[in-house]
Amino acid sequence: MTAVQLGSLTWLPAADHPELLGEPVAAALPGLPGPAWVAAIDEEAADTAAFTDTYGVPLTASANCVVVAARRAGETTLAACLVLATTRADVNGLVRRHLGARKASFAPQDVAVAGSGMAYGGITPIGLPASWPVLVDAAVAAAELLVVGSGTRGSKLAVPGSVLAALPGAEVLEGLGQPVG
């Protein structure tokens, strides 16, 4: 694997460093359809704005994974939405319609953590339960390399957008990420 240079971090092959990953992420890595790198970070700098400021990784090279709870007829479906950090997920529009839900909203923190088995602020589409749809914005899928969570707040993953788009259960949607503003 070619070494990755993003910001001031030292990126290592993720498969060689399971101790830096959340358990579900480490378990999913062997099935990943491409490369992934991991870098240890300060847990206090895990949130996107603090991360980009602290480590000099451009906001345009980061993606956020948000967990959505979609409800219809008393049933709740959890799904993950992966959008560029410069955008926000269109939860009440595209996500709600795509999942056939009457109502969609961000999942409560405790539900997202319990359902994913990952730390809040470190949830990533890699290693999510197979029953969860993974909705990937087309701009994420087209990106050469993006920083995403690692299942913990103490590290980040760098993964090609094409690998994220090829995850089990992933569907690429045009317009999932909407401009912030």
Side-chain angles (χ1 to χ4, degrees):
M1 266 194 310
T2 309
V4 170
Q5 183 59 47
L6 270 173
S8 61
L9 293 164
T10 300
W11 295 94
L12 306 167
D16 295 346
H17 295 279
E19 75 280 2
L20 293 176
L21 307 171
E23 234 177 84
V25 179
L29 269 186
L32 204 61
W37 296 267
V38 65
I41 64 165
D42 179 346
E43 289 188 17
E44 298 301 313
D47 294 332
T48 305
F51 172 76
T52 57
D53 288 348
T54 303
Y55 298 105
V57 174
L59 197 56
T60 54
S62 294
N64 291 329
C65 181
V66 295
V67 179
V68 173
R71 290 177 278 294
R72 182 184 184 102
E75 293 289 317
T76 299
T77 300
L78 294 177
C81 297
L82 192 61
V83 297
L84 294 177
T86 55
T87 66
R88 61 173 176 71
D90 184 9
V91 173
N92 289 313
L94 183 62
V95 173
R96 182 184 57 75
R97 288 189 306 273
H98 185 78
L99 296 175
R102 186 182 52 72
K103 184 178 182 206
S105 59
F106 295 107
Q109 181 175 335
D110 59 333
V111 172
V113 168
S116 68
M118 300 179 201
Y120 194 76
I123 295 174
T124 188
I126 300 165
L128 288 175
S131 62
W132 289 24
V134 177
L135 309 180
V136 179
D137 184 70
V140 168
E144 188 176 326
L145 191 66
L146 288 170
V147 174
V148 295
S150 65
T152 76
R153 291 183 62 85
S155 65
K156 292 285 186 180
L157 287 172
V159 185
S162 59
V163 171
L164 296 168
L167 289 170
E171 296 178 72
V172 176
L173 299 177
E174 193 68 50
L176 176 62
Q178 295 292 303
V180 176

